[in-house]
Amino acid sequence: MSDPNLLRNQQSDLVGDDLRAGTRADAIEITGTTQVAPRDEDARSLGRDAWEDLRRRPGFWISSSLIVIMLMMAIAPTLFTFFSPQPDPTFAQLAKARQPPSTEAWFGYDGQGYDVYSRTIFGARASILVGVLTTVGTILIGGTIGLLAGFYGGWLDSLLSRTGEIFWSIPLLLGGVLFMTTFPSELGTPYMIVVGKVVLVLTLLGWPRIARIMRSAVLQVKPLDYVQAARALGATPFQIITKHVLPNAFTPVIVVATIDLGAYIATEATLSFLGIGLQPPTISWGIAISEASGLGLLRSAPHMLLFPSIFLSITVLAFIMLGDAVRDAFDPKGR
């Protein structure tokens, strides 16, 4: 006859061996309640789900490829002009002014005899630089203001929100025209100062949009259980913001900022087209379009306007497409 105590000890040893071998029960009964063990597919993060969704979107790959090409043009334009017949964008030949595209000049010559291809390639640097710096500035300013307003609330929220509404009420393009007309750039002004003025005005008028989105995201995250648990465990406001609130509220800001980047590039081109944005000798798509829109040039030399406009449109469209793809991927309702 078997000893009951010995049988129970043997069963306990078998269970312990199974657990040590890596087997896992689907449910573990503890004090009368059943806790279901999490599975790998249930533990996937939102970022991984979004990436899996993005990988299946052709628009994401198309827009990303175009953006990479444009960024390479802005960083190292000589890579694209090395095999060009006229690689120097500052070399002018008045005798060849307004000549159409040919094997000697792939995109033709402009009204001053500059090679349109080289100036189009080098023009990406100023236009994309304005867009990127403005986007970074709006994220830093607007994201910080929206984070503080949403997390602390009260009078601080009211003060920051009312301040943002003042800037929000000024249209981006109109405000840029007023600012650049009041503080014009003279001929010979250093390159980064001219670019910095355009970035400054676009940042001042663009941060309220990011602030409103960040504030709304923080207000949605703040009441969640893990934030309240961190507060109950004695975490400081700085720890709660950096470890729990900001990582979970930052996604919509990135999505909107990506879309806005294309809009900032288009706004810079518009200001340069009006003659109050970037100024020569700076090379940009907006300046090229402005110079190509002179009296009689549109009919006699349409290539001067065509190629910079195509590059500008493709760049703006690529950033907007990327922002739309990222937004749909991070939106659970969109999936």
Side-chain angles (χ1 to χ4, degrees):
M1 187 172 181
S2 300
D3 188 357
N5 294 328
L6 178 61
L7 181 60
R8 283 195 295 269
N9 291 335
Q10 292 175 348
Q11 292 175 345
S12 299
D13 293 338
L14 291 174
V15 172
D17 292 340
D18 290 339
L19 292 175
R20 283 190 294 271
T23 59
R24 181 180 61 182
D26 289 337
I28 303 173
E29 185 174 352
I30 301 177
T31 64
T33 61
T34 301
Q35 297 181 347
V36 179
R39 302 189 181 190
D40 293 339
E41 59 268 21
D42 297 331
R44 294 192 305 176
S45 64
L46 176 61
R48 182 178 177 183
D49 289 340
W51 170 244
E52 293 296 331
D53 184 79
L54 284 173
R55 291 174 58 183
R56 297 190 295 268
R57 294 179 179 270
F60 168 75
W61 293 110
I62 294 174
S63 60
S64 298
S65 301
L66 291 174
I67 289 173
V68 169
I69 294 174
M70 296 301 174
L71 290 177
M72 290 179 62
M73 287 171 50
I75 296 173
T78 54
L79 294 177
F80 297 84
T81 60
F82 182 76
F83 298 100
S84 172
Q86 299 292 338
D88 187 0
T90 62
F91 179 71
Q93 304 178 73
L94 287 176
K96 299 180 179 181
R98 294 182 301 228
Q99 288 186 5
S102 62
T103 55
E104 185 180 354
W106 296 341
F107 289 178
Y109 293 93
D110 65 5
Q112 301 295 326
Y114 292 109
D115 182 69
V116 176
Y117 174 79
S118 297
R119 293 183 73 83
T120 301
I121 297 298
F122 277 82
R125 173 175 296 177
S127 298
I128 294 179
L129 184 62
V130 168
V132 171
L133 292 180
T134 302
T135 301
V136 172
T138 54
I139 290 177
L140 292 177
I141 298 176
T144 302
I145 292 177
L147 180 64
L148 296 176
F151 184 80
Y152 290 103
W155 66 269
L156 182 61
D157 182 17
S158 300
L159 176 62
L160 296 178
S161 297
R162 300 296 83 77
T163 303
E165 290 174 358
I166 295 174
F167 290 92
W168 180 261
S169 62
I170 305 174
L172 183 64
L173 182 58
L174 177 60
V177 170
L178 294 176
F179 183 89
M180 298 304 296
T181 304
T182 306
F183 304 99
S185 298
E186 299 179 357
L187 187 64
T189 303
Y191 175 81
M192 288 308 301
I193 294 181
V194 177
V195 172
K197 290 173 63 175
V198 178
V199 171
L200 176 63
V201 63
L202 296 181
T203 302
L204 289 176
L205 299 176
W207 71 262
R209 174 178 169 86
I210 300 297
R212 289 163 66 98
I213 294 172
M214 175 63 83
R215 176 181 177 274
S216 300
V218 171
L219 290 177
Q220 294 178 359
V221 171
K222 189 170 66 171
L224 297 181
D225 293 339
Y226 59 87
V227 177
Q228 300 301 322
R231 193 188 303 272
L233 291 174
T236 63
F238 180 79
Q239 292 174 331
I240 295 175
I241 290 175
T242 55
K243 294 183 179 180
H244 302 288
V245 176
L246 184 59
N248 293 280
F250 198 61
T251 298
V253 172
I254 291 296
V255 173
V256 175
T258 304
I259 299 175
D260 288 347
L261 196 153
Y264 295 140
I265 294 176
T267 304
E268 178 276 320
T270 304
L271 293 175
S272 299
F273 171 78
L274 297 175
I276 55 177
L278 301 180
Q279 300 291 329
T282 303
I283 304 174
S284 76
W285 292 329
I287 294 176
I289 294 173
S290 176
E291 293 176 348
S293 303
L295 184 62
L297 291 178
L298 185 59
R299 177 173 298 180
S300 62
H303 61 275
M304 292 177 52
L305 177 64
L306 177 62
F307 294 107
S309 300
I310 290 177
F311 276 72
L312 173 63
S313 300
I314 290 176
T315 304
V316 173
L317 180 61
F319 279 107
I320 294 177
M321 287 177 57
L322 178 62
D324 288 340
V326 174
R327 178 195 59 196
D328 295 339
F330 279 96
D331 184 9
K333 295 180 181 179
R335 297 199 302 271

